[in-house]
Amino acid sequence: MDPACGSGHFLTSVLEEIVNVRKALYNKSENYPDEYRLKKTTVLNNIYGVDIMGPAVEIAKLRCWLSVISELETENIDHLADSDDLALPNVAFNLREGNSLIGYTGFPETTDDGEQYQIGSFSEDSVRDRYEDIITEIEKHEQALESEVAEKHRKRANEKLRTAREELIEDIHGDFVEAGIEDITPEAVEEMEPFNWVLEFAEVYADGGFDVLVGNPPWDVLTVSRDEFFSRYDEQFRSRTPNEKDKRISELLENETIEKEWKKYQTRMERQQDYFTDGTAFELQSPTVAGQTNTNENDLSALFLERVFKITRSDGYVAQVLPGNIFNGSATKDLRAHLLDNTEILSLIGFENHGIFENIHNQYKFGVTVFRNSGRTEVLSGIFDQTDLEIFNDYTKKSVKIPRRVLESYSPEARIFPSVTSQDEVDVLNKILGHPPVSA
């Protein structure tokens, strides 16, 4: 699962890795499957993604299909056609459009006095009992060999999903009102495309949930963006100079429809900002540092990381590419505390960009981390300030062991992770931190 999948680059890369591992396992047996069937089955059963941009999701689907088609060989096409295996996988319910950050990650329930609250925990049986009719239609759609049959079950599943979504809109609307956004309507909430994870992927959660989450969530701050909005109407807008942008905006806003949509866009973004900051859906975005509340100003990478904690099964694994502020920013203190106290961090490599990503300053820092979504981190295997991706090939040799005391006590107020590059640095820090500080 990639909860911010974009056009599917990460997912298709993961697809290749899963298929290669399965090929290696099948090489040890006599029942080696057709490679087209193997990749098709892997796409259908193991690749999932969500993104707010509908066109990007469609490209992700196309990428998956093209990856499957690439396994076709002339000599096996007739055989596959005879056995009804030539059809491409039905991935309409694997790759979805929606707002990953708005909506429920568990079952919303109502108390006896009518107060809405959310139960985050659920079981496989409870998911299947609640959404059995939806799961049945999705499974029939995915298993259909004829396009007409698949389309019939796709429509039925979407109708049932639409009804279930509508039942939750009032609850989500109530969450916005509770966050102080009292002038919003249920229709305006619906336009934000809330994504209720257990509902939308009921067939996955009925089978235990997502085993692995991957991705590179947005590194942006959620804010009103002229570039984002006006590039919808002018493909060259992002590349224009500031003065040219001002002039072009004036021209575009002469169109009443665009002017109306611009105002609507600004209102929607401001409401989402207030929802994330003042609502109760996210609990790790406003830590106390040195006695002061240090609020994350709607950093999308921080919001996505907190959501990842909730949508991954407890024995699942997470691999993320994250901006440096996740590991050294004061506003992300509670996220780091959660990583230490509630996950087992298996690896963390910190980078300075130096040309790794184009159009990003060479000194910009980011990290790649892998963790198990339960347990506790006692020792972190990692290294920081790397400038070359070759570190992935030598990680076992070059990584250092950072004990929990160093991670907790190096910066006791903000819990910033130290940017260590050698075991000697870690050992010195650990020795120093083992002694109580000298009082002033």
Side-chain angles (χ1 to χ4, degrees), residues 407-420:
L407 297 168
E408 286 183 322
S409 303
Y410 169 75
S411 171
E413 282 294 337
R415 292 284 189 93
I416 292 170
F417 289 174
S419 295
V420 291

Side-chain angles (χ1 to χ4, degrees), residues 74 76 176 186 188 219 236 281 294 300 390:
T74 304
N76 68 356
F176 273 83
W219 294 3
Q236 305 301 318
N294 199 326
L300 289 171
E390 282 299 316

